[in-house]
Amino acid sequence: MGRSRRSYARLLLLGFLLLRFSWCLAVADDGGGAEEGGGIFPVVVSTWPFREAVRTAWEVVSASGGAGCSAVDAVVAGCSACEVLRCDGTVGPGGSPDENGETTLDALIMDGTTMEIGAVAAMRYVKDGIRAAKLVMDHTEHTLLVGEKATSFAISMGLAGPADLSSPESIGKWTIWRQNHCQPNFWKNVVPAGSCGPYNAIDVPSGESKASAKRVLERTQGDICQGLFEPNNLLEPMNSRLKIVNRHNHDTISMAVIDKMGRIAAGTSTNGATFKIPGRVGDGPIPGSSAYADDEVVESMRRGMEPRDAAMDAILRIARKYPDFVGAVFAINKKGVHAGACHGWTFQYSVRNSSMQDVEVITVSP
């Protein structure tokens, strides 16, 4: 991994789920401590206190009569509810405008029994991200469709569109950002440095120091770059994205469900990073990055670790390589015991199983 990619990895907010027939491991978006609880199947787990999404998934998976609905159906229902509710402004339409003020959607669904996957990325003009992902899984031999072609596919398969995915809130946020000279943003080593684009690359030799980049900017941009490399400046190439990224502008719902028959599914839905460069796709719709479900895949729990220890082990592995990592893990074993661990911030995840009267929100502190 190159230097620039390593820098970016420290900033990623992950929404990763590893699931097995008897357990599931999910990496979401957080940092440091661990909490543990218990329960029995069926079970629904989601990142963040997205109670209504979990309630919706629970109603589906716990439906009376026989085996109830499948884990896949429950994940789709839960993530879809979050899209409609625009959870935290980071899921569904109406949030996270890109540099052009447009909202686009990423989503993924995976069936842990059949290993089938469907996903869409940078999808425009269609509000139903998770349902579009399921259509990819159900009706194509592909895994991921992107951009306007994903839009055309979704509409051809019966989803409503084309529709404007913006909202007064997203346009208002974008307008204020433009008035602030498009700061902060996700560009680096470009000119103009302190204003909106279009941007051009700075010719800084690979491996050169920040001082070299500063000299180039001062030579080409003059006073515009005054203070550009101050420690608290939002444009500082290495650290600025830490100031852009937080739960409310760069996040995902990641949901895992184990149904009455022990079948598992995982899914995600997001509108991506606020003010992202158009075309950017994060980890959300990428199998194995945001979500993964597999009846055979096991790691620490296969070796006998309890959920709490397995979650901490996963977090520590990442933190050793990327000390500035901001993320979290939640895990569930075959007995329904769940635990979470985080690094870099306080994380919450939501749980519902048949021993609970309602959704419970678990807080994990660093």
Side-chain angles (χ1 to χ4, degrees):
M1 182 181 289
R3 197 171 96 183
S4 63
R5 289 183 65 194
R6 293 179 68 89
S7 299
Y8 181 67
R10 288 196 290 267
L11 310 169
L12 286 177
L13 299 179
L14 302 176
F16 176 67
L17 298 100
L18 260 182
L19 298 141
R20 182 180 181 251
F21 181 81
S22 58
W23 64 275
C24 56
L25 173 66
V27 178
D29 298 332
D30 265 280
E35 295 293 332
E36 189 170 68
I40 55 177
F41 298 144
V43 62
V44 178
V45 186
S46 168
T47 51
W48 302 115
F50 296 152
R51 292 178 176 85
E52 290 305 317
V54 173
R55 287 183 183 118
T56 300
W58 177 255
E59 289 174 2
V60 171
V61 78
S62 64
S64 59
C69 291
S70 72
V72 168
D73 291 335
V75 169
V76 171
C79 289
S80 182
C82 221
E83 291 171 351
V84 172
L85 293 169
R86 302 180 181 180
C87 292
D88 267 355
T90 63
V91 180
S96 300
D98 64 17
E99 282 193 343
N100 294 334
E102 182 179 3
T103 297
T104 56
L105 303 184
D106 303 334
L108 177 146
I109 183 72
M110 184 167 185
D111 186 328
T113 301
T114 66
M115 303 302 295
E116 292 180 298
I117 303 170
V120 293
M123 185 174 70
R124 309 173 74 189
Y125 309 133
V126 173
K127 297 181 179 181
D128 301 299
I130 192 68
R131 296 190 189 280
K134 188 172 186 294
L135 288 170
V136 174
M137 183 176 75
D138 288 346
H139 300 290
T140 81
E141 295 292 337
H142 301 309
T143 297
L144 173 65
L145 299 181
V146 301
E148 291 189 12
K149 297 304 182 182
T151 303
S152 298
F153 167 80
I155 294 173
S156 74
M157 297 302 292
L159 294 183
D164 184 0
L165 302 191
S166 299
S167 68
E169 293 78 14
S170 68
I171 295 300
K173 181 184 294 186
W174 177 73
T175 300
I176 293 172
W177 178 75
R178 293 280 300 180
Q179 292 170 348
N180 193 45
H181 309 291
C182 301
Q183 308 301 321
N185 61 48
F186 287 92
W187 293 90
K188 66 178 183 179
N189 298 331
V190 296
V191 292
S195 64
C196 300
Y199 299 100
N200 295 298
I202 296 173
D203 184 17
V204 178
S206 178
E208 288 293 320
S209 67
K210 183 170 69 175
S212 297
K214 180 180 179 181
R215 286 194 295 272
V216 173
L217 284 171
E218 288 176 339
R219 185 175 68 249
T220 59
Q221 296 291 286
D223 293 339
I224 293 176
C225 298
Q226 184 176 4
L228 175 61
F229 289 88
E230 295 299 320
N232 293 324
N233 194 291
L234 291 177
L235 284 176
E236 185 172 358
M238 200 67 155
N239 298 323
S240 65
R241 292 161 189 77
L242 290 175
K243 299 185 177 85
I244 298 174
V245 170
N246 63 57
R247 167 187 160 188
H248 299 289
N249 65 12
H250 190 114
D251 212 339
T252 307
I253 180 172
S254 295
M255 179 174 283
V257 175
I258 306 178
D259 64 24
K260 294 178 181 179
M261 302 300 293
R263 299 169 299 198
I264 61 167
T268 65
S269 182
T270 181
N271 52 37
T274 303
F275 311 133
K276 59 183 173 287
I277 298 170
R280 178 263 187 187
V281 174
D283 61 304
I286 308 301
S289 180
S290 70
Y292 189 79
D294 186 350
D295 284 2
E296 301 296 329
V297 171
V298 294
E299 175 98 46
S300 299
M301 290 187 182
R302 181 181 61 185
R303 299 198 302 268
M305 280 191 182
E306 291 298 315
R308 179 188 177 98
D309 296 331
M312 282 299 298
D313 179 65
I315 280 290
L316 292 174
R317 290 188 190 190
I318 301 171
R320 280 195 294 268
K321 293 183 179 292
Y322 305 107
D324 296 330
F325 162 71
V326 179
V329 172
F330 62 78
I332 307 171
N333 69 10
K334 62 185 178 182
K335 298 178 182 178
V337 176
H338 54 86
C342 59
H343 185 274
W345 59 5
T346 298
F347 172 66
Q348 290 181 306
Y349 67 95
S350 303
V351 184
R352 177 69 201 271
N353 62 32
S354 57
S355 70
M356 300 173 180
Q357 296 300 311
D358 197 1
V359 177
E360 295 183 7
V361 176
I362 310 299
T363 299
V364 186
S365 299

